Amino acid sequence: MPLSREEREQFLAEPHIAALAVDAGEGRAPLTVPVWYQYESGGDVWVMTGLDSRKNQLIQAAGRFTLMVDRLEPSIRYVSVEGPVVKTTPATVEQLQEVSARYLPADKVEGYVDFALKNHGESVVIHMRPERWVSSDLGQV
């Protein structure tokens, strides 16, 4: 059964690992990779990635991407959202801390942020405006 707008936005706002998909060009299947993301109900979704990454290059060329999140318990539920890139900005330490704290235990955030700053190179934050939604809770059928 499809989720209501409130249910799908609330589900997307939870800290799930997303599958990001973006057009990879003629003759190729979409690039699909797991990502951390940030979202608050009613707002834009953002992801952080390397400035020189293939993911960033493909997203900038396509101008849009899709995120899909799911769970298995207590029922199978998923939300897929697709939309245009509305802005790309250099990533800040505060954004890295924010997204890291969303996914990591509190005692691991500082160590991860330090590691990422030293080893991941320059990053960008890509904002996507949710435009098309597909959702379902298969426990409600």
Side-chain angles (χ1 to χ4, degrees):
M1 171 174 280
L3 302 175
S4 69
R5 178 181 178 156
E6 182 178 291
E7 289 172 322
R8 72 185 186 210
E9 288 183 355
Q10 180 181 356
F11 187 72
L12 188 62
E14 296 170 2
H16 303 281
I17 302 296
L20 181 148
V22 61
D23 183 11
E26 193 173 318
R28 305 247 350 225
L31 172 71
T32 306
V33 294
V35 295
W36 290 352
Y37 69 94
Q38 182 59 288
Y39 175 74
E40 292 182 17
S41 293
D44 294 338
V45 177
W46 62 262
V47 298
M48 184 179 293
T49 191
L51 174 64
D52 297 326
S53 69
R54 181 166 181 249
K55 180 176 17 175
N56 183 42
Q57 293 168 359
L58 292 173
I59 290 171
Q60 298 309 319
R64 60 190 318 108
F65 62 93
T66 298
L67 287 182
M68 194 283 298
V69 298
D70 66 343
R71 71 163 194 218
L72 300 177
E73 300 286 335
S75 62
I76 298 172
R77 178 178 276 198
Y78 69 88
V79 169
S80 178
V81 62
E82 179 254 330
V85 171
V86 293
K87 72 178 174 179
T88 302
T89 58
T92 66
V93 173
E94 293 78 19
Q95 288 168 318
L96 178 58
Q97 290 167 331
E98 178 182 344
V99 76
S100 298
R102 179 172 161 88
Y103 291 96
L104 297 174
D107 64 330
K108 302 290 184 189
V109 172
E110 185 179 335
Y112 175 77
V113 168
D114 288 343
F115 173 83
L117 290 172
K118 292 175 184 170
N119 294 287
H120 290 174
E122 191 173 352
S123 293
V124 293
V125 171
I126 305 167
H127 296 257
M128 179 258 281
R129 176 136 319 121
E131 189 174 76
R132 294 186 183 91
W133 296 77
V134 178
S135 64
S136 186
D137 188 328
L138 301 177
Q140 295 181 13
V141 284

